[in-house]
Amino acid sequence: MQAQTILQPQETGNEAPASILEGLNAAQLAAVTHGAGPLLVIAGAGSGKTRTLVHRMAHLVAGGVAPESILLLTFTRRAAQNMLWRAALLTGSACRKVMGGTFHATANILLRQYGSYIGIGSQFTIIDRADSEGIINLIKSSLGMGGANKRFPSKRVILNLISGAVNKNASLEELVMGGYGHLIEFMDDFITIAEHYRQFKQDHALMDYDDLLVNWQRLLEESDQARASLSARFQHILVDEYQDTNHIQAEIVRLLASSHGNVMVVGDDAQSIYSFRGADFANIMRFEQQFPGARRVLLEQNYRSCKPILDLSNDIIAHAEEKFAKSLFTESEGGVKPRLAICTNEGAEARFVADHIQQLLGKGVEMSEIAVLFRSAFHSFKLEIELASRGLNFEKRGGLKLTESAHIKDVLSFFRVSINPQDNLSWNRLLLQLDKVGPKTAQKIMQSLTQAESPIQALAAYPAGAAWKAQLRQLCACLASLLEEGRTPSEQLDLVMEYYQPIFEKIYFDDYPKRARDLEQIKALISGYGDLRSFVDDTALDPPEADNAAQLAPAEGQRLVLSTIHSAKGLEWQAVFVIGLAEGRFPSQHVVPGEQWEEERRLFYVAATRAKERLFLSYPREMSGADRRFYFAGMSPFVAEVKPQLYEVDAAQNMLQSGSQGAGSSTAQPQTGTAAAQEQTSAPVASATEAGVLQPGMRVEHAFFGQGSVTRLPSPRRVEILFDRHGSKILHLDYARLTPVS
């Protein structure tokens, strides 16, 4: 049966306090007051999906539903905590009893409680990606695969294949043939490594992120008793960001709700952008097939963006091949049309962005309310240099998580072996810190530990070499102290640091002061925990980012945000710049037509809908390729699809040939390919020094590379400079901002 879009509220049998329903629009009210059975909420960007979920929880509890029988599944711990806190404000402390968390964190809890139904003990250790890669490397070595003189795929690629097969519901063979055809000769080796990897984890009571979901699904499929118990325990299931679920997560939701069908999923098909993580766009599109009779509610009223931005955003997604029909609207009047800047080159684009950021700051916009978004991290390189030269503070989102750093993993290894003595991976990390102990010696020591009733006592009794005997004694004393009862996690960290500090300074002698700041952040984070296992589990399940942890310290002035679009999803700013909207860059030239192309379109939509008041779009006409040669490009086909009347062209940056029509005119056609390459553009000098003024031997200063001496002029628009600290560089004068040094 085809689900119907219904906006009328439904009765649940109990009256909720008026405060819970106050301020909700018609569609939100319909979702919040939904009765029994499955509910699909299609929540457009900025339409109040979090508010709807919060009020739904509060309404259920106020209506007599036991909070312990509600399960809230999210994709970040922060989202779950925020929703539960807000629900508690509406109902009092009752909503604090709702079980809420990420899929992985919930799997961790339930597997420790119910895992015995399928033969899983409760004392397993969760490993992160770096740990998994280490195991893959160990297996490769033990099987004689690879080596210094043998060509073989890296541990990263192998783990990508193993994990991808799980998350995309495909076999290794399908994954290799689909995207790694050049590695087909290693197919048998991949299968062998995958089996050894599975066995290694089983032998040492380890689970990676994929295992948590796979085993949760196994629990529900293989144990009728466990499934019945969990389905009875959780009478109402609420899922946030359902468009980001993979096939395992969707199946877990279906099995949990198998006995009652009381499942509410909230998401936006137009914001499905994580297929590279295994997210399956089809999950939200076929929800109504999996749950026959499901009710559908559309949240279309936007509370974030002004009307001109919404009009452009709606036009972007209107071209999508498969979607739920919806159109975002706002009751707010006014607003400024988005602006499109067609820039001469990447340097000009960087200057355009920096100029307008400074203008916004001059108008009173806070630095933290400005963001620059891009498809790939390297697209911001020129902009970073430009911002630095102007003294504009920024932070770049993404990169390594705090707990993926080697020195943090060192510290966590102490905690992990104290919780799970079978964790050979952590033992190996600790043993290799000892002087004169190499991989072979570490393996011998670990073999003796696995056979011992008390690994720490066995370690103390091991016949150590003279060079590391004293250090081994200190390690054993440290571990023994960790196991003493009554110590808080903070006190346990102090014990570890007392032992580890001299090792830390020795191993990372070149940059340990910088790394020490990370350790201070760990101290701040661990202070909020009452037991060590919770801290260790959380660092693996939802690792804090260094930037987030840094927020615990006093802020050193405001910073604007530079971010990939993927990292910006769910966030908002007053002013947003989307750069690099050029053909071959957005979408990437490697994207093929079909679902990949459609996901790139959705990515552009996500970027546009981050803006509240001002939206700037830009692209360079001239770009440098991987071969360091320059080429001309047209605008992104996604921009070309947008109705020209929905944006204004920045006249100062429109460097099209005199007499050509502006891109914002009704008859303008984007130039691409050969036509664009034949276009003659003027390229103003970006440098403070003209090419004719530069001479070999002249001293100049660059914002990023510092001071150096001109060595030669290989072409009219290029200069070679021998920088004092960065060596010889050839710079293009349209990009370089050089200042003569007297």
Side-chain angles (χ1 to χ4, degrees):
M1 180 189 301
Q2 181 63 43
Q4 300 295 315
T5 302
I6 305 173
L7 296 182
Q8 290 78 23
Q10 292 186 355
E11 299 296 329
T12 60
N14 293 279
E15 292 296 326
S19 59
I20 294 177
L21 305 181
E22 285 179 358
L24 300 175
N25 63 39
Q28 292 171 338
L29 184 64
V32 168
T33 60
H34 172 72
L39 173 65
L40 171 64
V41 180
I42 303 299
S47 62
K49 73 169 180 66
T50 299
R51 176 182 176 88
T52 303
L53 277 167
V54 167
H55 284 251
R56 173 64 174 171
M57 275 191 291
H59 179 75
L60 288 172
V61 172
V65 175
E68 299 90 344
S69 70
I70 301 174
L71 174 63
L72 171 66
L73 295 172
T74 66
F75 279 85
T76 67
R77 179 174 55 187
R78 181 180 301 174
Q81 291 174 337
N82 177 261
M83 289 185 208
L84 294 175
W85 176 77
R86 290 171 59 178
L89 293 179
L90 294 170
T91 63
S93 60
C95 277
R96 296 175 184 172
K97 298 178 182 179
V98 171
M99 185 173 201
T102 65
F103 276 91
H104 294 89
T106 305
N108 172 51
I109 294 171
L110 297 181
L111 286 173
R112 295 189 191 278
Q113 296 175 352
Y114 296 87
S116 59
Y117 284 105
I118 54 173
I120 296 175
S122 62
Q123 297 303 309
F124 57 83
T125 295
I126 302 168
I127 58 175
D128 62 15
R129 182 176 178 90
D131 296 329
S132 296
E133 289 183 356
I135 297 171
I136 296 293
N137 220 33
L138 183 66
I139 294 170
K140 283 173 55 182
S141 180
S142 66
L143 295 176
M145 298 176 179
N149 302 314
K150 192 173 180 182
R151 185 174 65 93
F152 199 83
S154 69
K155 60 186 179 182
R156 177 184 62 82
V157 169
I158 296 172
L159 185 61
N160 285 344
L161 288 168
I162 294 173
S163 181
V166 174
N167 285 286
K168 296 181 180 181
N169 195 26
S171 66
L172 275 172
E173 292 93 335
E174 290 172 329
L175 219 60
V176 171
M177 292 301 296
Y180 297 85
H182 60 293
L183 301 179
I184 189 66
E185 63 181 290
F186 302 105
M187 190 67 254
D188 291 341
D189 293 327
F190 293 154
I191 294 173
T192 299
I193 292 172
E195 176 55 29
H196 278 75
Y197 177 57
R198 183 197 64 77
Q199 192 62 52
F200 184 98
K201 291 184 292 181
Q202 182 176 316
D203 292 344
H204 300 290
L206 305 175
M207 283 197 200
D208 61 22
Y209 300 148
D210 297 334
D211 293 327
L212 290 170
L213 299 183
V214 168
N215 287 323
W216 189 6
Q217 183 184 2
R218 278 187 54 217
L219 176 68
L220 296 170
E221 286 182 337
E222 297 178 11
S223 173
D224 294 340
Q225 187 176 355
R227 183 175 63 256
S229 177
L230 285 169
S231 191
R233 174 177 172 180
F234 301 118
Q235 289 290 307
H236 289 271
I237 302 164
L238 283 64
V239 187
D240 188 25
E241 303 286 10
Y242 193 70
Q243 79 280 347
D244 294 335
T245 55
N246 61 25
H247 79 283
I248 299 176
Q249 291 162 327
E251 188 63 9
I252 287 170
V253 171
R254 187 188 68 81
L255 291 167
L256 280 174
S258 58
S259 69
H260 49 70
N262 295 328
V263 55
M264 171 186 179
V265 302
V266 181
D268 185 5
D269 55 295
Q271 298 187 68
S272 179
I273 59 174
Y274 293 121
S275 64
F276 65 94
R277 297 180 184 173
D280 190 349
F281 173 73
N283 284 341
I284 195 168
M285 302 305 296
R286 65 184 175 217
F287 177 84
E288 293 163 336
Q289 298 174 14
Q290 288 193 319
F291 292 90
R295 185 187 185 200
R296 186 196 306 172
V297 174
L298 303 180
L299 303 186
E300 297 175 290
Q301 184 171 351
N302 180 280
Y303 297 92
R304 174 187 299 158
S305 307
C306 63
K307 188 176 184 303
I309 293 175
L310 289 183
D311 289 343
L312 183 139
S313 301
N314 285 331
D315 203 49
I316 292 171
I317 207 63
H319 297 276
E321 290 186 358
E322 187 178 9
K323 59 185 180 294
F324 287 109
K326 63 180 182 296
S327 182
L328 299 182
F329 69 93
T330 179
E331 293 183 349
S332 300
E333 298 295 329
V336 180
K337 273 188 180 183
R339 178 177 293 182
L340 173 66
I342 307 173
C343 304
T344 307
N345 50 46
E346 292 174 280
E349 184 180 37
R351 293 191 295 277
F352 165 77
V353 173
D355 287 345
H356 282 80
I357 288 173
Q358 290 181 319
Q359 291 175 20
L360 290 169
L361 294 175
K363 294 177 180 178
V365 179
E366 298 286 341
M367 184 88 80
S368 59
E369 281 292 331
I370 304 172
V372 184
L373 308 182
F374 31 85
R375 186 191 176 281
S376 300
F378 71 90
H379 292 171
S380 67
F381 178 68
K382 295 291 190 303
L383 178 61
E384 291 172 46
I385 296 175
E386 182 68 28
L387 295 174
S389 71
R390 302 191 188 199
L392 295 173
N393 293 327
F394 64 88
E395 61 174 301
K396 190 169 182 178
R397 300 282 173 86
L400 282 178
K401 299 283 193 296
L402 179 65
T403 48
E404 293 173 347
S405 304
H407 51 296
I408 301 299
K409 293 182 74 66
D410 288 347
V411 172
L412 293 177
S413 292
F414 290 88
F415 299 151
R416 289 169 54 161
V417 298
S418 69
I419 294 171
N420 177 14
Q422 299 180 61
D423 188 348
N424 277 18
L425 204 65
S426 294
W427 274 119
N428 188 63
R429 196 174 193 97
L430 295 181
L431 294 171
L432 290 177
Q433 294 174 2
L434 302 175
D435 293 333
K436 307 299 182 181
V437 173
K440 291 184 178 179
T441 302
Q443 286 292 326
K444 291 180 181 178
I445 298 173
M446 286 189 291
Q447 288 176 4
S448 69
L449 300 185
T450 57
Q451 302 169 4
E453 185 175 337
S454 173
I456 295 177
Q457 291 181 8
L459 184 63
Y462 191 86
W468 49 280
K469 187 174 183 179
Q471 205 173 4
L472 179 65
R473 190 181 307 113
Q474 293 172 351
L475 173 60
C476 292
C478 174
L479 293 174
S481 298
L482 285 180
L483 296 176
E484 294 177 359
E485 295 184 3
R487 296 191 185 277
T488 66
S490 293
E491 292 171 340
Q492 290 171 307
L493 178 60
D494 290 339
L495 289 170
V496 168
M497 289 308 305
E498 185 178 351
Y499 166 81
Y500 177 66
Q501 187 70 35
I503 298 173
F504 167 68
E505 295 181 6
K506 181 179 180 180
I507 296 176
Y508 308 105
F509 70 95
D510 55 343
D511 65 347
Y512 78 84
K514 179 180 178 181
R515 292 173 181 264
R517 293 195 289 270
D518 294 339
L519 296 175
E520 291 298 318
Q521 293 168 16
I522 288 294
K523 289 181 180 180
L525 291 167
I526 203 172
S527 63
Y529 287 82
D531 66 281
L532 197 60
R533 177 178 290 282
S534 297
F535 174 73
V536 172
D537 283 350
D538 282 351
T539 57
L541 289 165
D542 196 1
E545 295 186 9
D547 283 340
N548 292 338
Q551 294 174 4
L552 297 169
E556 299 180 0
Q558 286 196 342
R559 295 179 293 178
L560 64 95
V561 172
L562 308 185
S563 175
T564 63
I565 302 170
H566 286 99
S567 297
K569 185 175 174 291
L571 304 176
E572 60 183 40
W573 295 269
Q574 284 190 34
V576 170
F577 296 79
V578 187
I579 65 174
L581 290 167
E583 183 183 32
R585 177 166 286 187
F586 201 147
S588 166
Q589 60 183 337
H590 303 296
V591 169
V592 299
E595 179 50 35
Q596 287 185 6
W597 186 274
E598 290 301 306
E599 181 159 316
E600 292 283 299
R601 189 197 313 278
R602 297 194 293 269
L603 193 64
F604 181 32
Y605 173 82
V606 168
T609 54
R610 299 311 93 197
K612 293 191 287 187
E613 298 177 8
R614 298 297 300 269
L615 176 62
F616 300 85
L617 312 174
S618 65
Y619 74 95
R621 298 289 287 158
E622 184 187 63
M623 297 188 297
S624 59
D627 56 359
R628 297 190 177 183
R629 299 177 64 181
F630 291 85
Y631 65 95
F632 288 101
M635 68 173 62
S636 164
F638 301 141
V639 179
E641 290 174 340
V642 175
K643 296 182 181 66
Q645 61 267 31
L646 297 178
Y647 58 84
E648 295 180 345
V649 175
D650 189 281
Q653 296 296 329
N654 186 6
M655 302 296 180
L656 298 177
Q657 186 177 2
S658 177
S660 66
Q661 294 178 323
S665 74
S666 60
T667 58
Q669 296 294 324
Q671 292 186 319
T672 60
T674 304
Q678 294 174 345
E679 179 184 19
Q680 300 297 312
T681 63
S682 62
V685 176
S687 175
T689 52
E690 297 285 345
V693 177
L694 293 173
Q695 299 293 331
M698 179 182 291
R699 293 286 292 175
V700 295
E701 185 171 3
H702 186 273
F704 185 80
F705 297 119
Q707 294 188 6
S709 300
V710 176
T711 56
R712 66 189 182 99
L713 300 167
S715 71
R717 303 301 305 160
R718 288 178 172 80
V719 59
E720 184 176 37
I721 302 172
L722 179 62
F723 289 102
D724 299 343
R725 298 187 63 181
H726 293 273
S728 184
K729 306 287 183 183
I730 295 179
L731 304 179
H732 195 290
L733 288 178
D734 290 340
Y735 298 85
R737 297 178 67 84
L738 302 174
T739 303
V741 178
S742 56

